[in-house]
Amino acid sequence: MSDATAPSPTAPTSSLLKQDERTRRRNRAETRFRAYGMAAVIVGILALILLLTSILSNGLSSFRQTFITFPVTLAEERLDPQGNRDPAEMARVTTFGYAPLLGQSFVEHVQSIGIETGLGPREMAAMISDEAPGQLRAMVLANPELVGETITLELLAGGRIDGFFKGRVTMASAERDNNVSPEQLLLAEALREQGVMETRFNWNFITAPDASGQRPEAAGLGVAILGSFYMMIVVLVLALPIGVAASIYLEEFAPKNRFTDLIEVNISNLAAVPSIVFGILGLAIFINFAGLPQSAPIVGGLVLTLMTLPTIIIATRASLRAVPPSIRSAALGLGASKMQSVFHHVLPLAAPGILTGTIIGLAQALGETAPLLLIGMVAFVREYPSAPPDGFFDPASALPVQVYNWTQRSDPAFVERASGAIIVLLVFLIFMNAVAILLRRRFERRW
Amino acid sequence: MNDMRAVERDVDTNDLKITARGVDVFYGDTHAIKDVDVDIVDNTVTAFIGPSGCGKSTFLRCLNRMNDTIDVARVEGSIMLDGEDIYDPKVDPVQLRAKVGMVFQKPNPFPKSIYDNVAYGPRIHGLAKDKAALDEIVEKSLRRAALWDEAKDRLDQPGTGLSGGQQQRLCIARAVATNPEVLLMDEPCSALDPIATAQIEELIDELRSRYSVVIVTHSMQQAARVSQKTAFFHLGELVEFGETGHIFTNPSDPRTESYITGRIG
Ligand SMILES: Nc1ncnc2c1ncn2[C@@H]1O[C@H](COP(=O)(O)OP(=O)(O)OP(=O)(O)O)[C@@H](O)[C@H]1O
Ligand SMILES: [Mg+2]
């Protein structure tokens, strides 16, 4: 091949500067694959953006509420006919005794600031929320010395008036609506210009209990948030220790035989069981057999624990398995017992994975609706559950059930509130995921 | 130098520390160790040599029952430590492993600080009364493993951040810190440079005054340098076992001779 005389570089079989057919084909395949991947990611992101914008645009307004501010004269002859300020006596005056008082004061205030309206007193009073008399009554009964005075109150405006300021109710729709008239909207507009009506941030949406279907403006998430929170406590306290203990036993101690294989398969299957089945189970066992109260966070928590356990067990076993066996040998070789090797070395290394799995399981449980419907968490609850541990047995609602509940109601104002509740739910989920990420960062170690 | 080694090579005592008789090990259906008899004498270094896959690590793991942790492994025969059968049902392998320490073929430090790595054994066995005593054990062990100079300024840094050879010395320090009676070392020097190797060999020689050491090695020179007894394994069988000097100068089995001279392996 080479000349006998001068040693020259051997003739190259192919040039590196030119791509051959095979290389080009491989590169094309890779480019295509990247394009598919990008497309998939973009579709996912678009779907997410769509979802978030729709929820935010529908729901953000639920955090704001329209209030009417005017002086109310608490006439003594109406509220305390005996004149002795005895709360027991005063309690005999029902909300029906308070409503005319509010209406009268409102009409007087409108006249006093010089707004002309063709509305009669009844129609004007209808602009105040039906919830307001009850709130006033509770306030007066708590402070009997207020009777006889004139105090300036900030009261909820009716749902339609609130909807008008949020753009849900228009003059055109008011024409066709039995609950509101265009004249009322005109008056509302005028009152807003005078500063009597104002739409502002409303904490009560987060703290207040649910309200009836006629009073969307007063409905809040307080009971639902508390109920969900209690259930999460039950799930965390039960599912984490049981799940981790079961996983450690199965992964590190149990002999590998038919029986443990069977258990393993069944745990994986349990993770795939539809959640409503757990609801029926909870109804049959916890309520009908064990006699626990309906609608109680303890029952919801127990059902969600059953649902979350497989998730936690699977995640925990996966992270235990990911710990290199050489770590276990190292500990055993030094004369550590199996338990020492697990608790001193394996578990700390698996902790980030276990925590992540637990929080994902909790997040799943937080958003679960179907099983809770079956155990009566869908009931209309206006009383806050008391503080734990008694509160676990008091009736409560739950966030996702509240969403479901509100979407079932006829008043369109509840659509906004349901979206608002979804926002609250999402904020909790994002918060939990952030905690999971932080914990993972914190505990992650190199080896 | 060589002459001095030759003198030292004389077995100091003849107390049997470990006697293995008719040991068979199976991994499922694989017969990995076939009817092996070995005597480990106290205060001596015994070297296991043989081609890769012949069962040296497997047999070594029998001596502290680390094979128990492998599900498919099954050990038959009898292994006595100080006259007691270590496979007796009454024996707790945890107690056994505190007496028979081990350095693994692959360095496996805990993902903890260097200090905690070395201190772990003494802690779980309650060997140190207080922090000062523990500090002392850690320093002594690191010195013996020739790691002190490199590690003394970074005791609180992770052991996994050390180089491969340093990690292996850390594992040696960790094993030495628990004060075992028998130390099993599976190729402790395979990742070490000649200087560290020499230091470890010195350590092995020093350990011999108090413990018996069993070392697996692929280096004939190392076996010849540090050991008094040598066992040659081939395909799961113990081909030849005897005085190191005898095996290396005058092997009785042709397979031993071909392995030592580099014809099989
Ligand atoms: N955990 C295991 N499961 C199944 N078979 C194994 C296992 N460990 C070792 N073996 C088999 O047992 C035989 C002996 O392996 P061993 O690790 O004891 O060899 P070795 O002499 O230490 O080799 P090397 O010098 O390469 O470390 C090999 O055939 C190996 O495939
Ligand atoms: Mg080996």
Side-chain angles (χ1 to χ4, degrees):
Chain A
M1 208 208 216
S2 61
D3 283 343
T5 49
S8 67
T10 49
T13 48
S14 67
S15 165
L16 277 178
L17 300 175
K18 209 167 101 259
Q19 289 187 353
D20 60 18
E21 183 51 32
R22 262 186 91 77
T23 313
R24 246 175 293 148
R25 225 175 19 224
R26 279 190 303 212
N27 288 350
R28 274 202 302 274
E30 189 171 322
T31 315
R32 267 201 309 276
F33 181 75
R34 282 180 189 217
Y36 296 150
M38 290 276 277
V41 170
I42 289 171
V43 168
I45 289 178
L46 281 182
L48 188 68
I49 290 176
L50 202 71
L51 180 82
L52 284 182
T53 42
S54 116
I55 290 174
L56 289 180
S57 66
N58 275 322
L60 272 184
S61 56
S62 60
F63 292 91
R64 297 164 62 74
Q65 201 64 45
T66 306
F67 292 89
I68 317 178
T69 312
F70 59 91
V72 179
T73 309
L74 301 171
E76 180 171 12
E77 67 273 18
R78 279 284 186 66
L79 305 183
D80 190 12
Q82 314 290 319
N84 56 11
R85 302 290 184 272
D86 177 4
E89 284 289 330
M90 288 164 65
R92 296 198 0 218
V93 180
T94 63
T95 49
F96 292 111
Y98 285 82
L101 218 69
L102 280 178
Q104 206 180 337
S105 299
F106 181 53
V107 171
E108 280 164 13
H109 185 65
V110 172
Q111 282 162 353
S112 75
I113 57 175
I115 296 179
E116 292 295 324
T117 170
L119 290 171
R122 283 184 72 87
E123 287 161 311
M124 279 168 75
M127 292 168 68
I128 306 171
S129 166
D130 292 340
E131 191 75 7
Q135 286 172 352
L136 180 62
R137 179 171 179 267
M139 189 173 135
V140 170
L141 289 183
N143 311 287
E145 72 279 2
L146 288 177
V147 172
E149 312 220 342
T150 298
I151 50 172
T152 301
L153 289 178
E154 189 176 50
L155 296 165
L156 280 171
R160 292 295 199 284
I161 305 297
D162 180 57
F164 174 59
F165 290 132
K166 289 173 179 170
R168 191 172 60 236
V169 175
T170 60
M171 290 296 173
S173 76
E175 295 275 4
R176 288 175 267 112
D177 195 335
N178 293 334
N179 294 316
V180 71
S181 66
E183 289 77 31
Q184 284 177 322
L185 298 184
L186 285 174
L187 174 59
E189 188 70 61
L191 284 172
R192 183 163 71 163
E193 272 156 30
Q194 294 280 341
V196 176
M197 277 199 188
E198 190 202 5
T199 307
R200 60 163 175 82
F201 185 79
N202 176 27
W203 270 113
N204 285 341
F205 178 60
I206 295 168
T207 56
D210 192 12
S212 73
Q214 282 76 46
R215 302 171 186 174
E217 66 276 5
L221 289 169
V223 175
I225 290 177
L226 263 185
S228 278
F229 179 67
Y230 284 6
M231 287 196 298
M232 289 305 104
I233 292 180
V234 174
V235 174
L236 188 66
V237 165
L238 291 178
L240 183 64
I242 296 178
V244 171
S247 319
I248 291 179
Y249 177 73
L250 283 174
E251 199 56 43
E252 305 284 339
F253 293 93
K256 303 275 174 283
N257 56 26
R258 285 261 181 77
F259 183 63
T260 45
D261 281 352
L262 193 75
I263 291 180
E264 181 152 5
V265 170
N266 277 306
I267 289 176
S268 311
N269 284 343
L270 269 185
V273 168
S275 57
I276 195 139
V277 175
F278 287 107
I280 294 177
L281 186 82
L283 180 65
I285 293 181
F286 299 130
I287 294 181
N288 292 345
F289 178 71
L292 289 171
Q294 282 196 13
S295 311
I298 183 82
V299 180
L302 286 170
V303 168
L304 294 179
T305 299
L306 293 182
M307 255 193 60
T308 315
L309 264 178
T311 313
I312 293 186
I313 292 180
I314 289 171
T316 304
R317 294 189 68 183
S319 35
L320 287 175
R321 226 170 295 158
V323 175
S326 64
I327 299 289
R328 297 177 179 84
S329 313
L332 294 178
L334 284 175
S337 68
K338 195 138 185 179
M339 196 162 141
Q340 284 173 326
S341 111
V342 169
F343 281 88
H344 295 167
H345 301 289
V346 179
L347 204 55
L349 290 175
I354 295 176
L355 287 172
T356 315
T358 306
I359 292 179
I360 288 175
L362 278 185
Q364 250 176 29
L366 181 65
E368 196 54 66
T369 324
L372 302 183
L373 298 181
L374 287 181
I375 56 159
M377 298 285 287
V378 76
F380 177 71
V381 182
R382 268 192 68 92
E383 294 285 315
Y384 293 104
S386 49
D390 295 343
F392 290 127
F393 297 90
D394 291 344
S397 184
L399 270 176
V401 177
Q402 193 71 70
V403 172
Y404 167 79
N405 206 333
W406 281 348
T407 53
Q408 301 294 98
R409 297 192 186 169
S410 54
D411 194 316
F414 278 112
V415 174
E416 166 201 278
R417 292 197 119 62
S419 299
I422 292 175
I423 293 176
V424 172
L425 190 58
L426 285 181
V427 166
F428 280 129
L429 292 178
I430 290 171
F431 173 75
M432 286 168 80
N433 280 315
V435 170
I437 291 170
L438 275 180
L439 286 176
R440 203 161 49 212
R441 288 264 169 78
R442 176 97 180 60
F443 284 102
E444 209 141 61
R445 293 200 201 150
R446 294 173 296 144
W447 61 67
Chain B
M1 187 74 180
N2 260 339
D3 307 359
M4 280 173 63
R5 294 272 185 196
V7 175
E8 281 170 15
R9 198 172 286 144
D10 297 337
V11 175
D12 292 341
T13 66
N14 280 317
D15 304 339
L16 288 185
K17 190 71 183 169
I18 298 179
T19 49
R21 290 288 173 273
V23 175
D24 284 276
V25 180
F26 302 86
Y27 290 113
D29 293 333
T30 320
H31 199 168
I33 291 287
K34 295 166 191 154
D35 192 24
V36 168
D37 298 350
V38 169
D39 289 327
I40 310 281
V41 184
D42 207 3
N43 298 49
T44 48
V45 178
T46 307
F48 290 174
I49 59 171
S52 188
C54 67
K56 308 178 294 293
S57 299
T58 301
F59 187 71
L60 200 67
R61 280 200 302 267
C62 293
L63 302 182
N64 68 346
R65 291 187 57 174
M66 278 305 281
N67 279 334
D68 291 14
T69 62
I70 301 171
D71 279 333
V72 292
R74 189 157 50 83
V75 180
E76 286 172 7
S78 93
I79 298 177
M80 312 284 251
L81 174 70
D82 295 328
E84 293 169 336
D85 184 1
I86 63 170
Y87 280 90
D88 190 287
K90 287 202 286 287
V91 170
D92 185 344
V94 171
Q95 229 171 320
L96 169 70
R97 290 180 201 132
K99 276 190 178 187
V100 184
M102 183 161 199
V103 176
F104 293 83
Q105 189 163 358
K106 275 180 272 172
N108 53 357
F110 299 126
K112 295 179 188 262
S113 72
I114 294 176
Y115 184 94
D116 286 339
N117 261 283
V118 182
Y120 183 67
R123 273 191 188 131
I124 58 172
H125 297 303
L127 298 184
K129 290 191 307 292
D130 50 23
K131 178 86 171 83
L134 194 59
D135 287 351
E136 199 188 311
I137 293 178
V138 170
E139 178 175 344
K140 207 173 80 196
S141 308
L142 285 170
R143 277 190 194 284
R144 297 171 96 181
L147 190 60
W148 177 249
D149 290 334
E150 287 147 90
K152 65 172 181 280
D153 297 325
R154 45 192 290 198
L155 289 176
D156 53 348
Q157 283 172 32
T160 40
L162 295 170
S163 79
Q166 288 170 331
Q167 288 187 15
Q168 187 62 294
R169 278 178 281 157
L170 178 61
C171 293
I172 294 173
R174 190 174 64 183
V176 171
T178 53
N179 238 337
E181 295 173 19
V182 180
L183 188 59
L184 310 175
M185 303 174 108
D186 200 346
E187 297 184 38
C189 301
S190 58
L192 301 189
D193 62 62
I195 296 167
T197 303
Q199 284 167 328
I200 296 301
E201 287 178 5
E202 227 167 83
L203 165 72
I204 293 172
D205 211 54
E206 182 205 318
L207 290 175
R208 180 164 72 92
S209 59
R210 278 186 287 165
Y211 322 124
S212 45
V213 179
V214 183
I215 175 172
V216 172
T217 177
H218 281 290
S219 156
M220 297 307 114
Q221 290 84 351
Q222 185 171 57
R225 278 195 304 268
V226 301
S227 71
Q228 290 80 46
K229 292 263 198 170
T230 297
F232 171 62
F233 289 81
H234 186 53
L235 298 177
E237 286 173 52
L238 179 66
V239 176
E240 200 165 342
F241 178 49
E243 301 288 316
T244 300
H246 186 76
I247 297 246
F248 278 93
T249 52
N250 195 4
S252 47
D253 194 286
R255 285 173 292 178
T256 318
E257 188 181 0
S258 1
Y259 181 71
I260 291 168
T261 53
R263 278 197 295 273
I264 57 171

